[in-house]
Amino acid sequence: MTLVDEARRVRENAYAPYSRFKVGAALRDRAGRIHVGCNVENVAYPEGTCAEAGAIAAMVAAGQTEIAEIAVIADSPAPVPPCGGCRQKLAEFARPEARVTLATVAGERLETTVGDLLPGRFSAAHMGGA
Ligand code: THU
């Protein structure tokens, strides 16, 4: 199964009763293992979590800390880009050149990279004087 297929499958489990917008994410870590996540909303809206955050948490819980590649899918008119917070989360665990595939359920694909999604990112180097 491709990463997009994995993301499509986990998207079905998304808990999105408030937005009704289900998102699935699947990433491959440096060891070649796949980790998946879906959005999990909450009646206290800000407490909801994105699909990307779920996949990252699963990777870290499995003992890995580097994303080699990630795919995100939603049933949207155009491929949905990760939110600002998720871009920073991806940048924490991926090299700038790591591929990000944004997909729609209808079959559209947009390929980008973690670096292109978050140019000028805040990194540990900026805390050099700390
Ligand atoms: N969402 C994600 O899970 N990932 C994205 O990349 C975009 C947005 C979720 C958050 C919320 O549950 C719903 O989509 C609507 O914003």
Short mmCIF file of all heavy atoms in Angstrom, two decimals, residues 15-16 18-25 38-42 45 48-53 72-74 80-83 86 102, ligand 1:
data_model
loop_
_atom_site.label_atom_id
_atom_site.label_comp_id
_atom_site.label_asym_id
_atom_site.label_seq_id
_atom_site.Cartn_x
_atom_site.Cartn_y
_atom_site.Cartn_z
N TYR A 15 -12.20 11.49 13.94
CA TYR A 15 -13.31 11.90 14.81
C TYR A 15 -13.52 13.39 14.58
O TYR A 15 -12.78 14.22 15.12
CB TYR A 15 -12.95 11.60 16.27
CG TYR A 15 -14.01 12.03 17.26
CD1 TYR A 15 -15.20 11.29 17.40
CD2 TYR A 15 -13.85 13.16 18.03
CE1 TYR A 15 -16.18 11.69 18.29
CE2 TYR A 15 -14.82 13.57 18.93
CZ TYR A 15 -15.98 12.83 19.05
OH TYR A 15 -16.94 13.22 19.94
N ALA A 16 -14.46 13.71 13.70
CA ALA A 16 -14.64 15.11 13.30
C ALA A 16 -16.12 15.49 13.27
O ALA A 16 -16.65 15.94 12.25
CB ALA A 16 -14.00 15.33 11.93
N TYR A 18 -17.58 17.97 14.60
CA TYR A 18 -17.84 19.42 14.61
C TYR A 18 -17.57 20.05 13.25
O TYR A 18 -18.40 20.79 12.73
CB TYR A 18 -17.04 20.07 15.74
CG TYR A 18 -17.35 19.38 17.05
CD1 TYR A 18 -16.42 18.54 17.66
CD2 TYR A 18 -18.61 19.47 17.62
CE1 TYR A 18 -16.72 17.83 18.81
CE2 TYR A 18 -18.94 18.76 18.76
CZ TYR A 18 -17.99 17.95 19.36
OH TYR A 18 -18.32 17.24 20.49
N SER A 19 -16.43 19.74 12.66
CA SER A 19 -16.14 20.30 11.33
C SER A 19 -16.70 19.40 10.22
O SER A 19 -16.90 19.85 9.11
CB SER A 19 -14.63 20.43 11.14
OG SER A 19 -14.03 19.16 10.97
N ARG A 20 -16.90 18.14 10.53
CA ARG A 20 -17.27 17.13 9.51
C ARG A 20 -16.23 17.06 8.40
O ARG A 20 -16.53 16.70 7.26
CB ARG A 20 -18.66 17.40 8.92
CG ARG A 20 -19.74 17.55 9.95
CD ARG A 20 -20.98 16.73 9.59
NE ARG A 20 -21.86 16.62 10.76
CZ ARG A 20 -21.91 15.57 11.56
NH1 ARG A 20 -21.17 14.52 11.34
NH2 ARG A 20 -22.71 15.55 12.60
N PHE A 21 -15.02 17.41 8.74
CA PHE A 21 -13.92 17.41 7.76
C PHE A 21 -12.88 16.40 8.24
O PHE A 21 -12.08 16.66 9.14
CB PHE A 21 -13.32 18.81 7.66
CG PHE A 21 -12.32 18.96 6.55
CD1 PHE A 21 -12.72 18.92 5.22
CD2 PHE A 21 -10.98 19.16 6.84
CE1 PHE A 21 -11.80 19.06 4.20
CE2 PHE A 21 -10.05 19.31 5.83
CZ PHE A 21 -10.46 19.26 4.50
N LYS A 22 -12.92 15.21 7.63
CA LYS A 22 -12.02 14.14 8.06
C LYS A 22 -10.69 14.23 7.33
O LYS A 22 -10.67 14.43 6.10
CB LYS A 22 -12.65 12.78 7.78
CG LYS A 22 -13.89 12.48 8.61
CD LYS A 22 -14.38 11.08 8.33
CE LYS A 22 -15.36 10.65 9.42
NZ LYS A 22 -15.55 9.20 9.44
N VAL A 23 -9.61 14.07 8.08
CA VAL A 23 -8.26 14.14 7.51
C VAL A 23 -7.48 12.90 7.95
O VAL A 23 -7.62 12.45 9.10
CB VAL A 23 -7.52 15.41 7.97
CG1 VAL A 23 -6.17 15.53 7.28
CG2 VAL A 23 -8.36 16.66 7.71
N GLY A 24 -6.69 12.35 7.04
CA GLY A 24 -5.82 11.22 7.37
C GLY A 24 -4.38 11.55 7.00
O GLY A 24 -4.13 12.27 6.03
N ALA A 25 -3.45 11.06 7.79
CA ALA A 25 -2.03 11.27 7.50
C ALA A 25 -1.28 9.97 7.70
O ALA A 25 -1.60 9.18 8.60
CB ALA A 25 -1.44 12.36 8.40
N CYS A 38 -5.15 10.49 12.45
CA CYS A 38 -6.33 11.18 11.90
C CYS A 38 -6.66 12.33 12.84
O CYS A 38 -6.17 12.38 13.97
CB CYS A 38 -7.50 10.20 11.79
SG CYS A 38 -7.91 9.37 13.32
N ASN A 39 -7.48 13.27 12.36
CA ASN A 39 -7.85 14.36 13.25
C ASN A 39 -8.83 13.87 14.31
O ASN A 39 -9.69 13.02 14.05
CB ASN A 39 -8.36 15.59 12.50
CG ASN A 39 -9.48 15.32 11.52
OD1 ASN A 39 -9.58 14.23 10.98
ND2 ASN A 39 -10.31 16.30 11.29
N VAL A 40 -8.66 14.40 15.51
CA VAL A 40 -9.48 14.02 16.67
C VAL A 40 -9.99 15.31 17.30
O VAL A 40 -9.24 16.02 17.98
CB VAL A 40 -8.65 13.21 17.70
CG1 VAL A 40 -9.53 12.81 18.88
CG2 VAL A 40 -8.06 11.96 17.05
N GLU A 41 -11.25 15.63 17.05
CA GLU A 41 -11.80 16.90 17.53
C GLU A 41 -12.35 16.77 18.94
O GLU A 41 -12.44 15.66 19.49
CB GLU A 41 -12.88 17.38 16.54
CG GLU A 41 -12.27 17.66 15.17
CD GLU A 41 -13.25 18.21 14.16
OE1 GLU A 41 -14.47 18.20 14.42
OE2 GLU A 41 -12.76 18.67 13.09
N ASN A 42 -12.68 17.94 19.52
CA ASN A 42 -13.21 17.97 20.88
C ASN A 42 -14.27 19.06 20.96
O ASN A 42 -14.16 20.07 20.26
CB ASN A 42 -12.06 18.27 21.86
CG ASN A 42 -12.47 18.03 23.30
OD1 ASN A 42 -13.17 18.84 23.91
ND2 ASN A 42 -12.06 16.91 23.84
N TYR A 45 -13.31 23.23 21.25
CA TYR A 45 -12.68 23.19 19.92
C TYR A 45 -11.15 23.25 19.88
O TYR A 45 -10.54 22.50 19.12
CB TYR A 45 -13.26 24.29 19.03
CG TYR A 45 -14.71 24.10 18.65
CD1 TYR A 45 -15.35 25.05 17.87
CD2 TYR A 45 -15.45 23.01 19.07
CE1 TYR A 45 -16.68 24.91 17.51
CE2 TYR A 45 -16.78 22.85 18.74
CZ TYR A 45 -17.40 23.80 17.95
OH TYR A 45 -18.71 23.66 17.61
N GLY A 48 -8.86 20.05 19.90
CA GLY A 48 -8.77 19.08 18.81
C GLY A 48 -7.35 18.95 18.30
O GLY A 48 -6.54 19.88 18.43
N THR A 49 -7.04 17.81 17.70
CA THR A 49 -5.70 17.61 17.16
C THR A 49 -5.79 17.21 15.68
O THR A 49 -6.74 16.56 15.25
CB THR A 49 -4.93 16.52 17.93
OG1 THR A 49 -5.73 15.34 18.01
CG2 THR A 49 -4.58 16.99 19.33
N CYS A 50 -4.77 17.61 14.94
CA CYS A 50 -4.72 17.35 13.50
C CYS A 50 -4.21 15.94 13.20
O CYS A 50 -3.51 15.33 14.02
CB CYS A 50 -3.81 18.37 12.81
SG CYS A 50 -4.49 20.03 12.71
N ALA A 51 -4.49 15.49 12.00
CA ALA A 51 -4.05 14.17 11.55
C ALA A 51 -2.53 14.06 11.58
O ALA A 51 -1.97 13.03 12.00
CB ALA A 51 -4.56 13.92 10.14
N GLU A 52 -1.84 15.11 11.17
CA GLU A 52 -0.38 15.09 11.12
C GLU A 52 0.19 14.91 12.53
O GLU A 52 1.15 14.15 12.73
CB GLU A 52 0.16 16.40 10.53
CG GLU A 52 -0.23 16.65 9.09
CD GLU A 52 -1.55 17.41 8.92
OE1 GLU A 52 -2.45 17.24 9.78
OE2 GLU A 52 -1.68 18.15 7.94
N ALA A 53 -0.43 15.61 13.50
CA ALA A 53 0.05 15.51 14.89
C ALA A 53 -0.12 14.09 15.40
O ALA A 53 0.74 13.57 16.13
CB ALA A 53 -0.69 16.51 15.77
N VAL A 72 -0.88 13.34 3.27
CA VAL A 72 -2.08 13.84 3.97
C VAL A 72 -3.23 13.83 2.98
O VAL A 72 -3.06 14.24 1.82
CB VAL A 72 -1.84 15.28 4.50
CG1 VAL A 72 -3.05 15.77 5.29
CG2 VAL A 72 -0.58 15.34 5.37
N ILE A 73 -4.40 13.39 3.42
CA ILE A 73 -5.54 13.32 2.50
C ILE A 73 -6.82 13.82 3.16
O ILE A 73 -7.01 13.65 4.36
CB ILE A 73 -5.73 11.87 1.98
CG1 ILE A 73 -6.71 11.84 0.81
CG2 ILE A 73 -6.16 10.93 3.09
CD1 ILE A 73 -6.71 10.51 0.06
N ALA A 74 -7.63 14.49 2.36
CA ALA A 74 -8.94 14.96 2.82
C ALA A 74 -9.90 14.96 1.64
O ALA A 74 -9.48 14.91 0.48
CB ALA A 74 -8.83 16.36 3.43
N VAL A 80 -5.37 19.71 0.65
CA VAL A 80 -5.34 20.60 1.82
C VAL A 80 -3.94 20.71 2.39
O VAL A 80 -3.34 19.70 2.76
CB VAL A 80 -6.30 20.07 2.90
CG1 VAL A 80 -6.14 20.85 4.19
CG2 VAL A 80 -7.74 20.17 2.42
N PRO A 81 -3.43 21.93 2.49
CA PRO A 81 -2.10 22.10 3.08
C PRO A 81 -2.15 22.01 4.60
O PRO A 81 -3.15 22.41 5.20
CB PRO A 81 -1.69 23.50 2.63
CG PRO A 81 -2.96 24.22 2.37
CD PRO A 81 -4.02 23.20 2.06
N PRO A 82 -1.12 21.47 5.23
CA PRO A 82 -1.09 21.41 6.69
C PRO A 82 -1.19 22.80 7.31
O PRO A 82 -0.69 23.78 6.74
CB PRO A 82 0.29 20.80 7.00
CG PRO A 82 0.69 20.10 5.74
CD PRO A 82 0.07 20.86 4.62
N CYS A 83 -1.81 22.90 8.47
CA CYS A 83 -1.93 24.19 9.16
C CYS A 83 -0.55 24.66 9.63
O CYS A 83 0.42 23.89 9.62
CB CYS A 83 -2.90 24.08 10.34
SG CYS A 83 -2.21 23.23 11.78
N CYS A 86 1.09 22.55 12.33
CA CYS A 86 1.58 21.25 11.85
C CYS A 86 2.84 21.41 11.01
O CYS A 86 3.70 20.53 11.00
CB CYS A 86 0.50 20.52 11.06
SG CYS A 86 -0.72 19.75 12.15
N LEU A 102 0.20 15.90 -0.72
CA LEU A 102 -1.13 16.34 -0.31
C LEU A 102 -2.12 15.78 -1.32
O LEU A 102 -1.93 15.94 -2.53
CB LEU A 102 -1.18 17.88 -0.27
CG LEU A 102 -0.07 18.51 0.59
CD1 LEU A 102 -0.08 20.02 0.45
CD2 LEU A 102 -0.23 18.10 2.05
N1 THU B 1 -7.02 19.33 9.87
C1 THU B 1 -6.07 18.36 9.90
O1 THU B 1 -6.21 17.35 10.62
N2 THU B 1 -4.97 18.52 9.13
C2 THU B 1 -4.80 19.52 8.22
O2 THU B 1 -3.79 19.54 7.54
C3 THU B 1 -5.83 20.56 8.08
C4 THU B 1 -6.90 20.55 9.12
C5 THU B 1 -8.24 19.13 10.69
C6 THU B 1 -8.36 19.95 11.94
C7 THU B 1 -9.85 19.96 12.15
O3 THU B 1 -10.24 18.78 12.86
C8 THU B 1 -10.44 19.88 10.75
O4 THU B 1 -9.39 19.44 9.91
C9 THU B 1 -10.97 21.22 10.25
O5 THU B 1 -10.02 22.21 10.38
#
